[in-house]
Amino acid sequence: MSWHPQYRSSKFRHVFGKPASKENCYDSVPITHSVHDNHFCAVNPHFIAVVTECAGGGAFLVIPLHQTGKLDPHFPKVCGHRGNVLDIKWNPFDDFEIASCSEDTTIKIWDIPKQLLSRNLTTFRKELVGHSRRVGLVEWHPTAANILFSSGYDYKVMVWKLDTKESVIKSPVRTIDCHQDVILSMSFNINGSLLATTCKDRKIRIIDPRGGTVLKEANYKGHRASKVLFLGNMKKLLSTGTSRWNNRQMALWDQDNLSVPLTEEDLDGSSGVLFPFYDVDTNMLYVVGKGDGNIRYYEVSSDKPHLNYLTEYRSYHPQKGIGVMPKRGLDVSSCEIFRFYKLITTKSLIEPVSMIVPRRSESYQEDIYPPTAGAQPSMTAQEWLSGVNRGPHLVSLRPGSELLSPQPHPPERPLSNFSAAASLRAPDWMDNLAPEGGQRPSSLLEEKPPHRATEHRLEEKKAWLTNGFDVFECPPPKTENELLQMFYRQQEEIRRLRELLTQREVQAKQLELEIKNLQTGSGRF
């Protein structure tokens, strides 16, 4: 008789959820009252976008990530849809580009300016017109640039190629017409070669997104799926939905055999939709319930029982929607491995919740931060359409590290986000060295700075940031709360500069000693 330990050995066994303090939340945010089962929130390292209410059409807010506290009631909106906005998604390769879909049957692509909006943004970069009924979901391709997927209430999934000159695109490059009812969710595998969908007919389908053919289909009647998710490279799918007795349930499937799930687990008897999120790097699964304040998390393994329950974050404030920060936007110094942004409509509040691995050391923890997907595409849109499959380009989250994968193909549009472009071009602050005529000094144009000099400049640029906040690009404080936050940030910045100065003094003394030693040694000979 074999003995099995009661507890699994895992470095994530003691992960806990830490809600942000009141001053680090986003207060007085007019969150939408739509009953659509979507996240209504999209986050990247620069902005948080939230679907809101707007008279005469649809709109969403784009709030700078550092602008916490109470939101101005006249804060500018991104508005241009004639119907309610149903879904928003940031471009994974451009932190200043976002896609939105609406009940007015259109999808719009917006360029968000780097400076703060002073008035409502109504000018979109592209409009995609092809659906005959309202559009419920949009998804960017995970590895190819300028490829967008949309699904509507006309039961169709459309594939759009955005690297064209036309501002209005009226025909998609592919139309997938294999569903018999409304599509409830879409999910890509890790390289974007497969698309999984759930439909209102409660079937799970695995589709070839280029050919539009159904490769696998689940006809299992004991689990009515509403959301589906690929689990990285494990060749497994996870779906959430309801059981025959209307209990909230999740099921794990073998990607190559959808006849019967590998395992099923009943959670509770609530009626809200379960949103699943999977972290490929840590093999952790987070299940967030709409209408309650709980976040359950599990560790997924290839061996039985596959889903290993860790613990649960509980809150009295129910979430209507939720956003997730990409891994490159996390705070690695505090061992943060995941971050949610809960939309709490009862308090008009957006509350960040950080998932943290308790570690005593403040140094970089290599074992919980393996190489992760970066902000650069692996291929162009045309390469993907022609049949090429490539995994994501990997980057290290260690501060000051560089791209681990080979240099990618140049994208059709220049990348705007700092994290993807910092290692490819000179820092933005070098533009300030140009004279009033607009030309840079000839030495900067003719000489390419050495690698160590570039790293030194990046370290100086990083030293200006306090908790991701650029002290030289900050807006003037408008309220007492913002003024206090500015004061604390400046105090923190002064402390960091003092530490930097102390380090420079120590280095200077070491160099002086080395010079004296060299002079003494040369004098003997």
Side-chain angles (χ1 to χ4, degrees), residues 444-488:
L444 292 177
L445 294 173
E446 294 170 1
E447 298 182 5
K448 185 178 179 180
H451 180 69
R452 293 190 66 180
T454 305
E455 284 185 352
H456 176 68
R457 293 191 186 101
L458 287 175
E459 286 179 3
E460 288 187 355
K461 175 73 178 178
K462 185 185 172 185
W464 299 347
L465 299 177
T466 303
N467 297 326
F469 183 83
D470 195 336
V471 296
F472 292 103
E473 295 180 359
C474 58
K478 297 179 181 178
T479 64
E480 184 180 353
N481 188 19
E482 291 181 3
L483 187 62
L484 282 173
Q485 290 180 31
M486 188 73 64
F487 172 75
Y488 294 141

Side-chain angles (χ1 to χ4, degrees), residues 33 46 56 60 116 244 256 275 323 359 404 469 476:
H33 298 296
H46 290 87
F60 58 95
L116 289 176
R244 293 178 180 175
D256 300 322
F275 296 120
R359 296 280 174 96
L404 298 179
F469 183 83

Side-chain angles (χ1 to χ4, degrees), residues 283-295:
N283 292 330
M284 285 187 65
L285 171 71
Y286 301 87
V287 181
V288 182
K290 181 180 178 181
D292 59 64
N294 303 337
I295 300 175

Side-chain angles (χ1 to χ4, degrees), residues 248-269:
R248 291 202 295 191
Q249 184 186 64
M250 60 182 183
L252 191 70
W253 307 80
D254 183 354
Q255 179 179 310
D256 300 322
N257 182 13
L258 299 183
S259 58
V260 178
L262 297 173
T263 181
E264 295 174 277
E265 183 171 337
D266 285 4
L267 299 182
D268 54 39

Side-chain angles (χ1 to χ4, degrees), residues 81-130:
H81 285 286
R82 297 183 301 276
N84 292 330
V85 174
L86 298 181
D87 196 16
I88 48 177
K89 293 286 169 53
W90 288 105
N91 187 339
F93 312 122
D94 188 346
D95 285 344
F96 298 90
E97 182 176 275
I98 190 170
S100 63
C101 63
S102 169
E103 292 180 349
D104 63 5
T105 73
T106 67
I107 304 108
K108 288 180 169 59
I109 311 298
W110 308 85
D111 280 334
I112 305 300
K114 294 184 180 180
Q115 67 275 11
L116 289 176
L117 291 174
S118 58
R119 56 182 179 179
N120 288 350
L121 179 63
T122 58
T123 306
F124 49 84
R125 187 171 70 85
K126 288 189 182 296
E127 184 178 32
L128 315 180
V129 182

Side-chain angles (χ1 to χ4, degrees), residues 269-318:
S270 300
S271 58
V273 172
L274 292 170
F275 296 120
F277 298 93
Y278 182 67
D279 186 355
V280 179
D281 305 326
T282 61
N283 292 330
M284 285 187 65
L285 171 71
Y286 301 87
V287 181
V288 182
K290 181 180 178 181
D292 59 64
N294 303 337
I295 300 175
R296 301 172 176 88
Y297 35 106
Y298 303 76
E299 195 169 7
V300 184
S301 62
S302 55
D303 303 325
K304 291 183 178 181
H306 302 297
L307 296 175
N308 302 287
Y309 177 76
L310 294 175
T311 186
E312 181 177 2
Y313 168 79
R314 295 186 178 183
S315 171
Y316 293 109
H317 306 301

